[in-house]
Amino acid sequence: MARYFLELAYKGTAYHGFQIQDNAPTIQLEIEKALETLFKTRFDLTGSSRTDAGVHALQNYFHFDTNLEITNRHKYNLNAILPPDIAVKSIKTVADDAHCRFDAVARSYEYYIYQDKNPFLKDRGWFYPYELDFSLLQQAATLLKNHTDFTSFAKRNTQVFTHNCTIYVSEWSKAAAQQYIYKVQANRFLRGMVRGLVGTMLKVGRGQLSISDFENIILTKDCTKADFSTPPQGLFLAKVIYP
């Protein structure tokens, strides 16, 4: 058997997340259905990065094994079958032991907020019509790189052996008038971590928390201190990085 990496992008609005679930539309279910329709056989898919309901991805991956000969031209056939909010970007053969989840060395996420009501952004960003101090947002984002234990930004009952993450990039930028993007890249992320970081940093930007308060939330290692109310539609998995 040969192993393949399937790269895809999707708008997550209509789906209950990335990984297959009982009686719910998911990205994995749609990809499996499309592969089975095209090749008349079932495929067992392994996903790289789970995303929650409503979260989008500019890049994500599945891998699978098959005796069939599959080439990159099959992406056109799959895209003709898939719904318009999911796109296959490439299909490539890889080493037999390549693993799309465990071989990734880093992942990048982006979170979008906009402050002027815009009907064209409502499912691709968070309408946040509050005055923000951009310099405070940037200070909070930079501070994160000084820490590795992000227990405070992991949702309860997260089943992991460690809450340590190494953040390589953490910064806010202005995309356009009254639009902001938070970009973060790390070797790993905890469940709910990016949304928790964004929600808590926005409190800093509004003056509801000081930089010292924000650092204390990190140090307390208590997830009840962070703000996880950030909605999913502003979050994008931007890139999965391999060696």
Side-chain angles (χ1 to χ4, degrees):
M1 280 194 174
R3 176 157 293 185
Y4 293 84
F5 269 30
L6 184 149
E7 179 188 6
L8 69 156
Y10 51 86
K11 182 180 178 183
T13 306
Y15 300 96
H16 288 228
F18 184 69
Q19 191 175 35
I20 202 160
Q21 301 176 34
D22 292 335
N23 303 314
T26 65
I27 303 301
Q28 182 175 349
L29 177 63
E30 292 298 331
I31 295 292
E32 287 184 355
K33 284 164 53 179
L35 285 166
E36 186 171 349
T37 298
L38 180 60
F39 295 107
K40 311 302 180 187
T41 187
R42 292 193 62 183
F43 288 77
D44 293 321
L45 302 182
T46 298
S48 167
S49 307
R50 299 176 186 176
T51 51
D52 292 335
V55 174
H56 318 296
L58 304 176
Q59 183 185 65
N60 207 345
Y61 287 88
F62 286 110
H63 79 241
F64 59 87
D65 299 326
T66 181
N67 287 319
L68 297 170
E69 183 179 353
I70 299 178
T71 66
N72 202 47
R73 64 182 174 82
H74 284 114
K75 76 176 185 179
Y76 300 103
N77 305 94
L78 288 171
N79 282 328
I81 297 167
L82 286 164
D85 48 10
I86 302 175
V88 172
K89 299 175 71 175
S90 67
I91 310 173
K92 299 177 181 178
T93 53
V94 294
D96 291 346
D97 61 349
H99 197 289
C100 68
R101 179 182 175 191
F102 298 130
D103 287 355
V105 295
R107 291 169 177 81
S108 297
Y109 284 88
E110 297 175 357
Y111 195 95
Y112 291 75
I113 68 169
Y114 60 100
Q115 297 190 290
D116 288 335
K117 187 176 180 181
N118 187 331
F120 301 105
L121 295 177
K122 69 181 182 67
D123 55 1
R124 293 180 291 115
W126 185 11
F127 178 43
Y128 197 82
Y130 306 104
E131 186 175 345
L132 291 169
D133 185 319
F134 184 77
S135 66
L136 288 176
L137 283 177
Q138 201 69 284
Q139 286 179 54
T142 301
L143 177 67
L144 292 172
K145 292 190 287 184
N146 297 335
H147 296 272
T148 55
D149 190 328
F150 291 97
T151 303
S152 293
F153 298 97
K155 287 187 175 180
R156 284 184 172 180
N157 302 318
T158 300
Q159 302 298 317
V160 293
F161 292 107
T162 176
H163 290 90
N164 285 358
C165 307
T166 302
I167 293 182
Y168 306 123
V169 176
S170 177
E171 61 186 17
W172 286 89
S173 61
K174 296 180 180 180
Q178 302 303 304
Q179 294 183 31
Y180 299 89
I181 305 173
Y182 175 59
K183 298 181 180 180
V184 60
Q185 182 184 116
N187 66 327
R188 63 192 291 267
F189 288 89
L190 306 168
R191 189 169 69 94
M193 178 174 165
V194 179
R195 289 161 68 182
L197 290 172
V198 169
T200 311
M201 281 190 285
L202 288 174
K203 284 191 169 184
V204 176
R206 289 181 66 181
Q208 296 175 331
L209 293 173
S210 67
I211 292 295
S212 178
D213 293 333
F214 182 65
E215 185 159 35
N216 284 335
I217 289 173
I218 301 171
L219 295 173
T220 59
K221 303 177 186 179
D222 181 356
C223 67
T224 66
K225 306 297 184 184
D227 186 345
F228 290 93
S229 63
T230 314
Q233 69 268 17
L235 183 58
F236 289 73
L237 172 60
K239 192 173 184 180
V240 183
I241 301 161
Y242 294 99

